[in-house]
């Protein structure tokens, strides 16, 4: 289980007294969504309210639920534009955003605004695309965040720690929502081969 510094804040008397942004990033198969679900479950056990969002474009498994590769799922709201998030969030809500790499630049201001309004904002997403380049506006969100957890997968080729997502199937755009078999996690060496 990865260490999550943000959880130190939850040990304080009143975790709602300030907002912040925490990012869960990494390659595919690194357990990002499972880690997001783990944090959401802790929030729910503490009887805090959480709103979960994902881009409507990500329909791999289910229209609005967030679903990890291990099929551990949570109900969520599928949205077209990041700005819609603001309209759903009520005072005191914790905000969870999955697959954040697919949103346009509005996502930056949305995260900042919510954190400034004292919301805990948990953002999960791919930090790099299948060419190894920074993905969408994840770099900006990571730079603004109080906490960043970078998770790793295991290289499908050699078994070392993997930080990259290698595309095994042809596609024209980095916004290619493929089945799992279209991608594999690779270490730097095997990614560059
Ligand atoms: Zn490798």
């Amino acid at each position: 289980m990865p260490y999550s510094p943000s959880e130190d804040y939850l040990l304080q008397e009143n975790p709602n007294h300030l907002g912040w942004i925490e990012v869960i990033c990494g390659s595919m198969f690194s357990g990002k969504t499972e880690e997001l679900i783990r944090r959401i479950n802790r929030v729910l056990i503490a009887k805090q309210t959480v709103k979960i969002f994902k881009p409507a474009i990500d329909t791999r498994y289910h229209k609005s639920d967030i679903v990890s590769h291990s099929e551990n799922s949570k109900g969520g709201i599928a949205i077209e534009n990041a700005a819609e998030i603001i309209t759903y969030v009520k005072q005191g809500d914790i905000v969870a955003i999955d697959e954040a790499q697919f949103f346009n630049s509005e996502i930056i201001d949305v995260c900042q605004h919510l954190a400034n309004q004292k919301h805990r904002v948990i953002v999960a997403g791919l930090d790099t695309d299948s060419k190894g380049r920074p993905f969408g506006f994840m770099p900006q969100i990571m730079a603004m965040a109080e906490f960043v957890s970078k998770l790793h997968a295991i290289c499908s080729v050699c078994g070392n720690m993997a930080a990259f997502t290698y595309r095994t199937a042809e596609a024209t755009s980095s916004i290619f929502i493929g089945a799992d078999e279209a991608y594999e996690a690779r270490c730097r060496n095997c990614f560059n081969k």
Side-chain angles (χ1 to χ4, degrees), residues 62-129:
H62 191 278
K63 260 201 174 66
S64 61
D65 290 357
I66 60 170
V67 181
S68 72
H69 294 284
S70 63
E71 296 181 358
N72 193 356
S73 71
K74 284 283 167 198
I77 303 166
I79 51 173
E80 299 285 342
N81 301 299
E84 292 172 50
I85 292 173
I86 304 285
T87 66
Y88 288 100
V89 175
K90 296 199 165 56
Q91 194 178 3
D93 281 346
I94 287 160
V95 180
I97 304 169
D98 198 16
E99 303 289 355
Q101 75 277 359
F102 290 133
F103 288 113
N104 66 20
S105 63
E106 285 176 340
I107 191 70
I108 301 168
D109 287 339
V110 167
C111 291
Q112 286 282 57
H113 173 79
L114 290 170
N116 291 344
Q117 298 295 312
K118 304 192 189 310
H119 294 279
R120 176 184 177 189
V121 183
I122 314 172
V123 180
L126 289 163
D127 48 6
T128 57
D129 66 14

Side-chain angles (χ1 to χ4, degrees), residues 155 157-160 186-187 190:
C155 177
V157 178
C158 74
N160 282 320
R186 291 200 176 184
C187 72
C190 298

